[in-house]
Amino acid sequence: MKEKIEEIKNKSIKEIKELIDLKQLEELRIKYLGKKGELTALLKGLKDVAESQRPIIGNLVNDVRNNLETLISEKETELKERELNKKLEQEKIDITIPGNKLKRGSIHPLNRIIEDMEDLFVSMGYDVVTGPELETDEFCFERLNLPKGHPARDMQDSFYITDEYLLRTQTSSVQARTMIANTEKTPIRMITCGKTYRREDDATHSHQFNQIEGLVIDKKDAHVSLADLKGTLEVFVKKIIGANLDLRFRPSYFPFTEPSYEVDVTCFKCGGKGCNLCKGTGWIEVLGSGIVHPNVLKVNGYDPDQYGGFAFGTGIDRLAMFRYGITDMRYLYTNDVRFLNQFDRKDEE
Amino acid sequence: MKLSLNFVKDYVDIPENVSLKDLAEDMTRVGNEYDSAEKLVNSTNLVIGEVLSCVNHPDSDHLHLCKVNVGKEMLNIVCGAPNVREGLKVIVALNGAELPGGIVIKKSMIRGQESNGMLCALYEIGIEKKYLSEADKNGICELPKDAPIGEDPIKYLKLDDSFIDFELTANRGDLLSVLGMAYEISSIYDKKVTLPELKHSESGENIEKEFETIVETDNCSLFLTRKAKDVVIKESPDFIKNRLIASGIRPINNVVDISNYVMLELGQPLHFYDADNLGNKILVRMAEKNEKITTLDGIDRTLTEDDIVITDGKKPVGLAGVMGGLNTEVESTTKNVIIEAAIFDNVKIRKTSNKILRSEASNRFEKGLDPARTYMAIERACMLLEKYADAKIATGILKYDKTNNKEKEIKIEYQFINDVLGTNIPKEDILDVFRKLKFETKPEKDYVIVIVPTRRIDISIKEDLVEEVGRIYGVDKIVGKLPVVSMKMGSVDKTLRKIRHKMSNLGLNETLSYILMNDKEVKRFTCDEFEPLKLLDPITEDRNTLRYSMIPSLYKIYEYNKARENKDVCLFEIGKGFWNKNGTFGEDQKICVLMTGKYYNKIGYNEEINFYDIKGVTEELLDFLGYGNRYSFVMPKNIPQEFHPGQVAEISVNNDIVGIVGKIHPKVEENNVFVMEINLSKLLEKKVSKMKFKEISKFPVIKKDISVLVDKSISSQELETRIKKKAGKLLLDIKLFDVYEGKNIIDKNKRSLAYSLTFGDPAKTLNDDEINVILEKIIEDLAKSGIELRK
């Protein structure tokens, strides 16, 4: 009996070592531990063993059985691991093949810069307002100290629909609208961005373009001054156009402000050394600005003796061209998808 | 305004150390931008030479071989000019000379003959042909016999001038004169201004006796008349000619040149009439309707009641402020001249000149004139005519003067100036600015009364004086700061921005299109009723109307990309559409989408965009904006003819049509192109409920699939509605997950639709039996319409 047990033990251990898959392992388990297995048969045969020997033999068989079960379990784990590894090996893919993506969209460079400008001014307590593009002569000109026949209207040759209605030539129309709408005549801090239209079309002028306009009005005792305008535009230029650009305020003339200033910044292209873009001056004109003209305050319901402030405005198209290095203004309006697709990521901070 | 440096130096000293560029930049800093600052003649290495011999080139029918004495040496020069000849004094460009257009003169062989330089025409050294006489346009410059050999011809010809081309602001009419510029320059460098010499003699009978001036219109406020007799018409002296050229005006003859010279000098346009052709009377009035005049340029003009005319009492002899009449033109035979110095209404002149011709004169009238200068100008003209045209000035002057030629007095507080500028400029420095500007002042403790000279017509209120202080004191010296105002939150409506980002995230490229289009395009892709808004004066007919729908704009962009073989074009734009409904004008914010090509960027997936893709984008947008469950897509009553009639839907929110989506008709577009437009102004008016958390049911849901065979005429939406109605409130969700039509369905009029239904009860766990009862009800209901389950 003992020999028989020993034989089964040795045989099964040998067989386990040799088998290579889970199926063979299961067969082995059945062969030894199944209902009709060899070890099971030995246990069943215990009744024929002498009673005194029975516990000894019984223990012996159980030890072999336990040992075998452990071995089978260990072998099972080993085989499962091996099979999984095999499967994983088979499932290996070419990770260099491109991922599955939706089509990628983009945001037009002009709106990118508009959003940045809006965020900047909102952070300084300005309200972002809007106004109509189909405007009346009254709001576009007359309420901005530009009566009919004023020579400065020549600078803004316009698209009229009727004698009274035109496509706005400047976002300044929103200044007048904001002042009129503010019936309480409380202080104003606003900007507006949007499309504007002038009757000219050439290599450097598009008949449709975009402007930003800002207006600050406060009580005289708040002393909103040219120095404040300078400081505000310094922030604007450095945040929106370029941190290392210098500004130059140059006295100029606009009917809606007095005094009026044009603001030049260091030439984007040559950095101030002088080139064809800046006509050798090292400066590029970017903004128009000034102290709100008393007539503009008066005609829009603010008493110029009690209120004062500043206004500024600029074309956005050129700023967008500079920021992204766009070489031709026409790219902004032809909407070639090879152009648009380039604006499909977030701007650097 | 082109300012000749030699000219302005007559009236103001420019410091030695200030270069041309410095002057231009300093002027810019006080508000006068310039376009260019250059020497009049930009050539180097030129000398005066004499042609000692001139023979024909052996191998050419037009070239000449010249021996030229340039003082230090004798040069062999090949010259092709027709007027080159022995004994001629010429301008020689020596080897190494640089001429305009990047030309460098080098020793060279011309058809086998050595040439050591070039004999120059004036246009070759940099004087534009338009300023030159016929002789100078066609040949080399012929210098006078006594021109000194070996010397600099530019100095000799008094062409050693420079000019700055200023781009002046509309308010500074005073700077359209050399004298005005002299004042401006003097204020920068703190220099004196010398006034021009006006003295001349008078002789003979007083003009009053033989001539009469009548003004019959309010549009002429000042009219001065004088007479110059026995003028000798000839070429102007070099300094006059060269200063005119440097200022951009072509010299003609001494008399005409003097009128231009005085205009440049003092800013007051003059007009000279041939006195013998004019007669003895001038009458200024408004033109009659359709009155005719032939102007100096020989063109017949028809006038309106808005034009001011100068007449001889009967017929027009000049178009006031714009151009003289041909019948009284100063010609080479002219003996006696009537001089007009006048001020006309600037708006009227502007209108007339816009119609006829914008000239140096009209430009000055438009910007406004100083009456003091008018008086100065007529005397200056007389002085110059006497000196350079041998004229005898008739005694007396005829004056019609309705101007209020009083100097303005403006009272301004020092504190006001500092408040506006945000500065602390001391009183003394403020007064110093006015002194530099040559403004008289009456200073008091807290304020100063400034007497503004009449030349500064741009200054009328105290803010104008603030600007003067700012610019002369120096804007650079003002330190920028941020406003100290009460704290306040900024605000911005980010709805459109969020839509923009949503659409971009859905894979669409944002575009920016023109709102102007052709009037034939404006009614496309819509059945809405409106009047197109047409421009009164378009630049081109291609862009003569404001758009209503944005679809034509995006379709144009698609066509542009198609022509460049750009595939997979998926676009959106947020913009305005404009309308005229019964005379009321308005504009709506719209969003437009166009999709074609491939949408998914997946290897091996090549399906083209179809109706459901653009519909999906539309639903994404509406869901994003909070209109989930409130919209539907309905068959339009009227289908715009540019849409595929079987693949188009109106977008309805709260049973109100807000937009359209569909495929472009194959007759319009051969490719599969889909477009969508929503009127955002209309859509966003519809209130959206607050985003609010809904309790998640603790009880499990039961999912059931149901697949039915239905007639193709029944829409999925109809079916869904019926199922929902029968299912009651236990049905939480219904989703279409399969549509099949094909060979496994025998009846070709039918298709199979499969829905996944989710049931749940927030209060308890449902059991299968309850749901099966509901399913039975649904099936029973569908069966009534012959809709059966698909097995």
Side-chain angles (χ1 to χ4, degrees), chain B residues 252-525:
Chain B
I252 295 173
N253 60 45
N254 56 345
V255 174
V256 175
D257 291 353
I258 284 168
S259 82
N260 283 327
Y261 189 85
V262 175
M263 173 180 72
L264 289 173
E265 191 171 45
L266 302 174
Q268 168 68 51
L270 300 174
H271 191 70
F272 291 176
Y273 300 86
D274 184 315
D276 302 307
N277 290 336
L278 177 66
N280 55 8
K281 187 179 190 181
I282 275 181
L283 186 143
V284 186
R285 59 169 166 80
M286 299 312 288
E288 285 155 23
K289 202 179 174 194
N290 293 327
E291 195 167 3
K292 301 265 193 295
I293 182 175
T294 307
T295 43
L296 279 175
D297 51 8
I299 297 173
D300 295 332
R301 315 273 185 181
T302 305
L303 307 177
T304 71
E305 289 130 320
D306 269 341
D307 301 316
I308 312 168
V309 282
I310 316 297
T311 71
D312 60 2
K314 298 180 193 99
K315 60 179 189 305
V317 293
L319 202 45
V322 180
M323 211 189 302
L326 193 62
N327 46 14
T328 52
E329 185 187 13
V330 172
E331 292 171 301
S332 53
T333 52
T334 298
K335 285 273 165 279
N336 302 306
V337 172
I338 291 290
I339 308 166
E340 162 205 307
I343 297 182
F344 303 107
D345 179 72
N346 55 342
V347 176
K348 286 278 183 292
I349 298 295
R350 184 160 158 265
K351 276 194 177 153
T352 303
S353 69
N354 272 340
K355 251 185 344 198
I356 310 267
L357 173 87
R358 311 220 48 179
S359 63
E360 293 275 352
S362 68
N363 186 27
R364 286 169 172 82
F365 281 113
E366 285 171 29
K367 302 276 157 47
L369 296 172
D370 167 14
R373 288 285 176 84
T374 317
Y375 282 92
M376 246 170 126
I378 199 158
E379 301 309 322
R380 178 71 171 161
C382 290
M383 178 258 155
L384 291 171
L385 284 170
E386 184 176 67
K387 194 164 176 186
Y388 299 107
D390 312 326
K392 293 184 184 66
I393 307 303
T395 310
I397 179 167
L398 298 177
K399 293 182 197 173
Y400 168 88
D401 191 347
K402 295 280 177 223
T403 57
N404 173 18
N405 198 4
K406 249 184 143 180
E407 285 168 332
K408 276 162 280 185
E409 292 194 359
I410 301 174
K411 177 184 163 187
I412 187 165
E413 301 79 18
Y414 307 112
Q415 190 56 46
F416 179 80
I417 295 173
N418 279 317
D419 279 350
V420 174
L421 295 178
T423 49
N424 276 311
I425 307 173
K427 172 181 168 180
E428 300 70 39
D429 291 2
I430 290 173
L431 293 174
D432 203 42
V433 167
F434 293 129
R435 185 189 56 74
K436 286 180 185 169
L437 285 163
K438 323 281 181 294
F439 292 1
E440 273 181 57
T441 50
K442 296 178 200 160
E444 299 289 339
K445 185 168 163 284
D446 295 325
Y447 64 90
V448 55
I449 292 170
V450 179
I451 298 133
V452 182
T454 54
R455 65 171 185 278
R456 291 301 303 272
I457 45 174
D458 59 310
I459 297 179
S460 56
I461 54 174
K462 55 185 182 176
E463 283 78 2
D464 296 325
L465 291 176
V466 175
E467 172 145 39
E468 292 303 303
V469 173
R471 68 191 191 94
I472 302 300
Y473 173 78
V475 198
D476 295 348
K477 293 188 204 153
I478 299 171
V479 182
K481 62 184 183 66
L482 286 179
V484 181
V485 288
S486 55
M487 197 70 135
K488 167 185 143 323
M489 295 241 293
S491 67
V492 57
D493 180 351
K494 286 196 174 167
T495 309
L496 295 182
R497 185 193 290 205
K498 284 178 178 164
I499 293 175
R500 173 182 305 128
H501 287 258
K502 174 72 187 170
M503 299 313 274
S504 163
N505 292 341
L506 284 170
L508 310 177
N509 293 124
E510 188 183 26
T511 62
L512 185 63
S513 57
Y514 292 128
I515 65 139
L516 291 174
M517 54 174 60
N518 183 264
D519 52 340
K520 289 186 192 73
E521 290 175 289
V522 77
K523 288 260 183 181
R524 299 185 88 199
F525 295 99

Side-chain angles (χ1 to χ4, degrees), chain B residues 655-709:
Chain B
N655 294 319
D656 187 17
I657 305 297
V658 297
I660 191 163
V661 56
K663 181 176 178 173
I664 298 183
H665 199 291
K667 272 195 203 161
V668 175
E669 173 55 47
E670 53 185 356
N671 293 336
N672 297 320
V673 179
F674 299 85
V675 288
M676 181 276 272
E677 182 175 69
I678 288 177
N679 184 334
L680 287 175
S681 298
K682 203 168 169 187
L683 175 69
L684 297 173
E685 265 176 19
K686 301 180 194 305
K687 293 263 174 330
V688 172
S689 57
K690 212 178 146 212
M691 185 150 58
K692 222 176 155 193
F693 169 69
K694 267 198 247 68
E695 194 60 57
I696 297 164
S697 173
K698 291 179 180 67
F699 303 99
V701 294
I702 295 180
K703 291 204 179 207
K704 294 280 177 188
D705 290 350
I706 172 170
S707 175
V708 291
L709 210 55

Side-chain angles (χ1 to χ4, degrees), chain A residues 101 106 111 115 125 127-128 133-134 154 160 189 199 208 226-228 230 251 258 279 335-337, chain B residues 31 35 350 420 464 467 475 478 481 486 488 491 500-501 509-510 512 515 536-537 561 566 587 601:
Chain A
K101 285 183 283 193
S106 62
N111 284 326
E115 289 181 4
D127 298 320
V128 177
E133 292 171 28
L134 183 54
D154 280 357
Y160 278 90
R189 249 180 286 171
R199 210 184 159 283
Q208 177 180 319
L226 175 64
D228 299 320
K230 260 189 116 171
E258 185 67 42
K279 291 180 188 159
N335 300 294
D336 191 313
V337 292
Chain B
D35 193 47
R350 184 160 158 265
V420 174
D464 296 325
E467 172 145 39
V475 198
I478 299 171
K481 62 184 183 66
S486 55
K488 167 185 143 323
S491 67
R500 173 182 305 128
H501 287 258
N509 293 124
E510 188 183 26
L512 185 63
I515 65 139
L536 294 179
D537 191 12
N561 280 289
N566 294 334
E587 57 192 70
N601 199 351

Side-chain angles (χ1 to χ4, degrees), chain B residues 573-590:
Chain B
E573 184 168 333
I574 300 165
K576 294 256 176 97
F578 302 83
W579 44 260
N580 171 8
K581 287 171 186 165
N582 305 320
T584 310
F585 300 159
E587 57 192 70
D588 289 327
Q589 196 80 56
K590 294 184 168 180

Side-chain angles (χ1 to χ4, degrees), chain A residues 6 17 20 39 79 92 98 117 119 125 146 154 160 173 175 178 195 197 215 237 239 245 267 289 296 324 348:
Chain A
E6 195 62 22
K17 274 190 185 151
I20 56 161
L39 269 176
L79 285 174
K92 191 178 177 188
M117 293 191 298
D119 289 344
L146 269 159
D154 280 357
Y160 278 90
S173 53
Q175 278 191 26
T178 308
K195 295 188 181 107
Y197 308 85
L215 175 71
V237 166
K239 288 278 176 197
L245 296 176
C267 177
S289 66
V296 172
Y324 297 108
E348 67 282 5

